[in-house]
Amino acid sequence: MPRPLRLAAAYGWRLLVVGAAVYVVFIALGRFHLVTLAVFLALVLTALLEPLTKLLDRWLPRSAAVTTGLLVGVVLLLGVLSLIGANVASEWPGLREVFTGGIARIERWLEGPPFHLQHGSLAHLQSWISHFVSSNRANLINTAVSGVGRLAEVLTVAVLAVFCSIFFLHSGGGMWLWFGNQLPERGRRWTGTAGRAAWATFTGYTRGIVVIAATNAVLVGLALFGLGVPLVLPLAVLEFFAAFVPLIGSPVALAVAAVVALAAKGPLVALLVILLIVVIGQLEGHVLHPVVMSRAVRLHPMVVALAVVCGGVTAGVLGAVVAVPLVSVVWSVYGALHR
């Protein structure tokens, strides 16, 4: 056989074995997806609260520092949720009238050029939706009941994530040292190098994406407030969480804001919100990511886009969120071991 063919065959069967092993690992993680998600969220909490815990550790015992840091995080989260609820409750009475008039305004706008929609088309759509809801009431009720089960799963994941993060914050270094000591002597140095590179990249990415998401949310909130769009706080929070999906999340969140602006303020304000999508995208891609993420993540934008799409196809929204940090960690570990 020619040497190139023998080399190709040798690499080929080895790559098939490695691919099969990776596939089995992902199948196992998918089978225990709630536990996997809880551990991932625990690592995120640990990366975010570790600086605060180290700061408090100067004056408090380690256990008290960890407890205080977690309590601060929980209070901040509950405070944001309560502000969103209060904002929606205060604006809800006027929103019904605004959106009723907004739908009529959208219908008149669609009846003109360039769409020339027939009069009453939206009314037919509303009647069709009402008929669909009434005819599929049993299925919708079953979906709502299953949603209660989903809520129980969410609470379970949240409690398990907080539980794991407590131990990661308190004695994560000791856990990693114990794990390294279980390995053969010759593999400990390589494992330590890979672990330090992975954790540095993961913490850098997590803190960086939080800074970018917070900056986007503040800018979007100020812009929507200046334009007079209702539900500013919920839309800003939606932009914050959507920013965790690079390249795709922010435009989707701002598209929701554009729909709200179209119904409440008309086409001109909606067009301004669409222009805001372009401005935020340019700011995020050319300023925030290079400045904030340059030390933690060094991936080409095409690699980021492919990772997000592949993660979304494989595991939905969760896969799109996890894909970029996973690829970043793998690449940083490869770079550290290669050096």
Side-chain angles (χ1 to χ4, degrees), residues 97-137:
E97 299 179 2
V98 170
F99 279 104
T100 301
I103 291 174
R105 186 165 53 248
I106 292 172
E107 186 173 7
R108 289 194 300 269
W109 177 58
L110 292 175
E111 290 173 0
F115 301 100
H116 298 289
L117 192 69
Q118 292 183 357
H119 181 70
S121 297
L122 291 183
H124 293 313
L125 179 61
Q126 292 176 6
S127 63
W128 179 84
I129 292 174
S130 301
H131 176 71
F132 176 81
V133 171
S134 60
S135 60
N136 295 272
R137 186 171 300 170

Side-chain angles (χ1 to χ4, degrees), residues 139-153:
N139 293 333
L140 294 175
I141 291 175
N142 291 333
T143 303
V145 172
S146 64
V148 175
R150 290 289 183 183
L151 179 61
E153 291 181 356

Side-chain angles (χ1 to χ4, degrees), residues 211-248:
V211 172
I212 292 173
T215 304
N216 286 357
V218 171
L219 293 176
V220 168
L222 292 176
L224 295 179
F225 179 78
L227 294 172
V229 178
L231 298 177
V232 173
L233 185 59
L235 291 175
V237 174
L238 176 63
E239 167 65 25
F240 175 81
F241 287 107
F244 284 85
V245 183
L247 302 178
I248 298 175

Side-chain angles (χ1 to χ4, degrees), residues 245 308-322:
V245 183
V308 170
V309 173
C310 292
V313 170
T314 304
V317 177
L318 178 62
V321 173
V322 175

Side-chain angles (χ1 to χ4, degrees), residues 119 149 188 199 337:
H119 181 70
R188 293 177 185 176
W199 183 242
L337 295 180

Side-chain angles (χ1 to χ4, degrees), residues 75-116:
V75 168
L76 287 176
L77 178 61
L78 294 179
V80 170
L81 294 177
S82 63
L83 282 176
I84 295 174
N87 181 261
V88 173
S90 62
E91 295 189 16
W92 186 254
L95 284 176
R96 295 183 61 183
E97 299 179 2
V98 170
F99 279 104
T100 301
I103 291 174
R105 186 165 53 248
I106 292 172
E107 186 173 7
R108 289 194 300 269
W109 177 58
L110 292 175
E111 290 173 0
F115 301 100
H116 298 289

